[in-house]
Amino acid sequence: MKILCLIRQVPDAEARVKAKNGLVDLEGATLALDGMDEYGVEQALRINTDGANTVAVALGGARFEDAIRRALAMGLERAIHVESSEHLDVVTQAKILAKIVQEEQPDLVFCGGQHADSDSQALGAALAEALNWNQITWTTALEIENSSVKATHDVDDGKEQLELELPLVITTQQGLNEPRYPTLPNIMKAKKKEIRKASLADYGVAGGKVRVVKQEIQDKQRLNKLIDGKDPTAAAEELIKLLHVEAKVI
Amino acid sequence: MILILAEHDGKKLKKTSLEMISAARGLNPEITVALLGAGAGKVAEEAAKYVGQVLVVEDPKLEPYDARVYSQALQQIAEQAEASLVLIAGTRAGRELAPRLAVRLDAPYLEDAVKLEGIQDGLRISHYAFLARVTETLEATASVIIATVKPNTQPAAAPNAQDGDIFEVELELTASSVRVLGRTQEKTARVALTEASLVVTGGRGMGSMENFKLIEDLADVLGAGVGATRAAVDAGWRPYAEQVGQTGKTVQPNAYICAGVSGAVQHLSGMGKSKYIVAINKDAEAPIFKVADYGIVGDLNLILPALTAAAKRLKD
Ligand SMILES: Cc1cc2nc3c(=O)[nH]c(=O)nc-3n(C[C@H](O)[C@H](O)[C@H](O)COP(=O)(O)OP(=O)(O)OC[C@H]3O[C@@H](n4cnc5c(N)ncnc54)[C@H](O)[C@@H]3O)c2cc1C
Ligand SMILES: Nc1ncnc2c1ncn2[C@@H]1O[C@H](COP(=O)(O)O)[C@@H](O)[C@H]1O
């Protein structure tokens, strides 16, 4: 089976995000392969345990190369990097990625369920539509037999079990598996793996449907009033009083 | 004209629908509500109280929900009605459907808006980004735009003086190729988490399923909803429906009270906009205290019962 894994390079979840002149400034921030995408990479390597026929696909700035190397070090066979530092709306991203899918002809595409930069959940479904494929979003369990896929995924009020046929776009999330850490030998090997570079021009798709006007950090000022709990009854009395009299929420 | 895909349960409109209607009224008085799926007809009269036009589609191919079929249906309605904006609820189902519709219409997609403003020939929205650490403002101009509206961010609309018109619509749809094998619905007897004005949440620090009784007792005295961290859900102590965070629910209550929760970014992204944050943790260095308004440093096994008792005394 041939599998594509869409990956992104995003600020580390713990990183403090800064803004400069009304836009997020990632200068100096720790960047990493999006945690949500790692579940897809891991799942691809559980399906094709030798890593054969697994391809990382990244659409983003030059810095995305670190995330690509990480996915290769986890075990994917090779990568395609469409290099662009333009802000691309999701419909445009889906059109470009659909062309890559059509070139590569995979059976399965993995995509993170929500991206840690745009907080968007849209890419998997948008790509599926651009391909006229089905998708499974928020997948937590997956079983593939021949061309039949059984999956459990989260819906708004619980869980649902589905059965579908390949090809599919599957969006991944925590719970699907435990992503592996790359070993040192695999990190060395990954340095030699192929990353095919492409540009937006190669795909003849123009972006620009959505403009970013501004990005602001809103750190709400918190009161930070800490009470010592050595005397539980007194501490509880004090907290309930603060919530009643000062915050007026109970 | 604004087209709204209303969420309903076959009996009533869901709250998200009234929220989208109120957001739409601020943009354009001409509003059409589309009601799709089983029981849509039963909700039509209710919907007509709020908008000028209601379209009902009860095609059996719309059951069970499949984003692929729904996007086909909405495309046909949006094109025939010449909608300039399509609003869809920012629920999981809506955020799976909306990008499909945007691709079909080759339209800009603005996702999970907390604020919507009209601009010349287009729309400006604000939404959260970078795991809700950033508020981003986006703009698009086009003949048709698709947007999802984050639940619980808009007031609910009030009925109009005059009822709108109801039309039944026939569409040409392709049958779904997805087989639904099963569904587990998680319902709570307490107030719905996302609608609760107070939430009491427990984390891994609760230590066991049984110990969540301490959380439930406090929640019951306060009339609060019960939440859990992913750690507590993964341990099997609480149902997934109670999970708050990046992969769970987003809540914004007047007070969010949590015990045994460390304050991981993925958790904060689901509750960080709460008006007041209250934390109980034995570790004074726990990151949750950095975002807390009030906190008690101590053992939750002693603090939670004391809080329940103190809250009871206040209520009596
Ligand atoms: C892609 C992804 C998505 C995620 N989505 C979510 C999500 O939606 N929601 C979510 O919650 N998490 C999510 N997580 C997980 C998140 O990173 C954390 O692992 C999780 O929130 C930790 O839960 P916790 O605070 O309950 O547990 P811990 O981090 O283990 O914290 C337990 C806390 O309890 C305190 N404690 C222990 N005993 C006591 C006691 N007796 N009295 C008082 N305090 C005590 C400890 O000091 C500690 O601070 C996600 C992670 C990833 C990678
Ligand atoms: N929401 C998004 N949609 C599309 N691309 C994005 C988004 N967020 C970040 N990017 C990409 O990340 C780039 C930053 O790359 P760089 O400037 O090389 O560090 C942006 O300019 C975009 O190409």
Side-chain angles (χ1 to χ4, degrees):
Chain A
M1 172 152 16
K2 183 159 175 182
I3 305 170
L4 295 196
C5 300
L6 305 186
I7 60 168
R8 294 183 69 78
Q9 166 100 329
V10 297
D12 183 76
E14 307 301 326
R16 254 193 100 74
V17 178
K18 296 174 295 173
K20 203 165 78 186
N21 305 323
L23 287 177
V24 165
D25 175 18
L26 295 179
E27 187 69 40
T30 316
L31 300 167
L33 171 58
D34 195 328
M36 287 286 200
D37 296 337
E38 276 188 16
Y39 301 109
V41 174
E42 176 64 36
Q43 200 64 31
L45 294 167
R46 292 188 183 196
I47 297 168
N48 291 354
T49 47
D50 59 357
N53 284 315
T54 57
V55 188
V57 178
L59 172 54
R63 65 181 170 81
F64 273 45
E65 208 165 306
D66 292 341
I68 296 171
R69 288 287 170 209
R70 168 104 187 172
L72 294 176
M74 284 174 75
L76 298 187
E77 190 175 52
R78 62 187 167 89
I80 300 168
H81 182 189
V82 183
E83 214 177 296
S84 159
S85 44
E86 231 179 281
H87 179 274
L88 298 173
D89 67 279
V90 72
V91 173
T92 306
Q93 290 182 51
K95 284 185 191 170
I96 297 166
L97 294 167
K99 291 194 174 187
I100 295 176
V101 171
Q102 277 147 6
E103 284 167 15
E104 293 284 333
Q105 300 274 322
D107 304 286
L108 196 55
V109 178
F110 284 115
C111 171
Q114 178 176 322
H115 289 114
D117 48 3
S118 55
D119 284 7
S120 172
Q121 305 176 0
L123 186 59
L127 174 61
E129 185 61 44
L131 294 164
N132 198 19
W133 288 11
N134 281 316
Q135 94 273 356
I136 308 171
T137 51
W138 295 106
T139 313
T140 52
L142 202 56
E143 238 181 273
I144 305 179
E145 249 191 72
N146 302 319
S147 69
S148 165
V149 177
K150 279 190 189 149
T152 304
H153 77 143
D154 289 336
V155 291
D156 286 297
D157 57 358
K159 290 180 188 307
E160 191 178 58
Q161 286 82 41
L162 303 175
E163 188 175 4
L164 300 92
E165 297 295 314
L166 294 173
L168 281 177
V169 177
I170 293 183
T171 82
T172 54
Q173 65 154 320
Q174 199 192 20
L176 182 61
N177 54 42
E178 277 300 325
R180 70 196 61 191
Y181 286 99
T183 59
L184 194 57
N186 284 344
I187 293 171
M188 303 308 290
K189 264 192 235 157
K191 295 200 168 126
K192 298 199 197 77
K193 290 184 177 173
E194 178 202 336
I195 303 180
R196 178 162 77 78
K197 296 277 180 179
S199 69
L200 291 185
D202 298 331
Y203 294 95
V205 177
K209 282 193 195 302
V210 173
R211 295 181 293 282
V212 178
V213 179
K214 61 179 182 226
Q215 296 170 319
E216 298 161 296
I217 317 281
Q218 290 179 330
D219 275 333
K220 188 167 186 280
Q221 280 307 306
R222 296 289 176 178
L223 301 171
N224 297 122
K225 289 193 184 171
L226 287 197
I227 305 166
D228 187 333
K230 264 195 213 87
D231 179 347
T233 307
E237 264 322 319
E238 192 181 339
L239 177 57
I240 292 293
K241 197 169 140 211
L242 284 167
L243 292 175
H244 182 60
V245 177
E246 191 177 89
K248 299 187 174 62
V249 290
I250 63 171
Chain B
M1 191 268 287
I2 301 181
L3 176 65
I4 298 176
L5 173 66
E7 290 198 319
H8 64 91
D9 61 6
K11 295 185 200 89
K12 271 178 66 191
L13 289 177
K14 291 198 182 166
K15 190 163 158 253
T16 50
S17 304
L18 301 182
E19 292 170 359
M20 287 189 282
I21 292 168
S22 87
R25 282 182 186 163
L27 300 170
N28 185 339
E30 268 185 63
I31 303 171
T32 296
V33 158
L35 287 166
L36 271 54
K42 295 205 188 79
V43 193
E45 277 182 27
E46 184 194 353
K49 293 191 190 312
Y50 295 91
V51 298
Q53 180 169 264
V54 177
L55 305 179
V56 176
V57 191
E58 279 195 305
D59 194 310
K61 294 199 185 84
L62 292 166
E63 217 47 57
Y65 172 82
D66 178 344
R68 210 170 163 192
V69 185
Y70 270 62
S71 66
Q72 254 185 25
L74 273 186
Q75 178 187 14
Q76 290 172 28
I77 299 171
E79 284 177 348
Q80 279 164 28
E82 291 180 20
S84 56
L85 173 63
V86 184
L87 294 183
I88 296 174
T91 53
R92 281 220 167 121
R95 289 172 76 177
E96 176 181 274
L97 162 63
R100 280 195 172 263
L101 180 63
V103 169
R104 291 187 85 93
L105 293 170
D106 197 18
Y109 172 41
L110 299 170
E111 186 172 357
D112 209 29
V114 297
K115 198 168 124 197
L116 301 88
E117 277 172 274
I119 56 170
Q120 182 74 40
D121 300 320
L123 184 69
R124 176 186 299 147
I125 65 135
S126 303
H127 76 141
Y128 301 138
F130 293 93
L131 297 177
R133 286 170 288 183
V134 170
T135 303
E136 186 173 61
T137 304
L138 302 173
E139 256 178 28
T141 43
S143 55
V144 58
I145 295 171
I146 317 300
T148 44
V149 180
K150 191 177 188 64
N152 297 306
T153 59
Q154 314 293 320
N160 285 331
Q162 209 187 339
D163 286 2
D165 303 319
I166 300 172
F167 300 96
E168 290 194 15
V169 182
E170 305 239 338
L171 303 173
E172 281 187 37
L173 305 175
T174 317
S176 168
S177 52
V178 182
R179 286 177 297 282
V180 177
L181 303 178
R183 219 159 194 283
T184 338
Q185 228 169 1
E186 284 159 338
K187 285 271 170 254
T188 167
R190 286 186 184 78
V191 45
L193 245 193
T194 50
E195 284 160 33
S197 57
L198 296 171
V199 171
V200 184
T201 287
R204 198 193 320 259
M206 296 307 299
S208 70
M209 186 194 280
E210 294 69 38
N211 220 24
F212 259 83
K213 173 113 189 1
L214 301 180
I215 294 285
E216 292 183 334
D217 288 347
L218 180 59
D220 288 342
V221 173
L222 296 174
V226 168
T229 64
R230 178 119 211 175
V233 172
D234 283 348
W237 301 341
R238 302 304 294 183
Y240 171 67
E242 290 179 357
Q243 185 177 313
V244 173
Q246 185 193 357
T247 45
K249 294 203 161 69
T250 304
V251 299
Q252 198 167 351
N254 287 335
Y256 186 86
I257 304 170
C258 60
V261 172
S262 64
V265 178
Q266 293 91 349
H267 188 72
L268 299 181
S269 85
M271 44 60 84
K273 311 282 183 218
S274 302
K275 193 157 169 218
Y276 286 92
I277 295 176
V278 183
I280 297 136
N281 198 302
K282 65 179 181 189
D283 175 8
E285 303 299 317
I288 190 73
F289 285 133
K290 298 213 168 54
V291 298
D293 294 290
Y294 304 110
I296 300 182
V297 184
D299 183 352
L300 61 87
N301 294 296
L302 305 173
I303 305 296
L304 283 175
L307 277 174
T308 304
K312 235 186 228 148
R313 281 195 292 277
L314 176 76
K315 300 267 164 174
D316 287 342

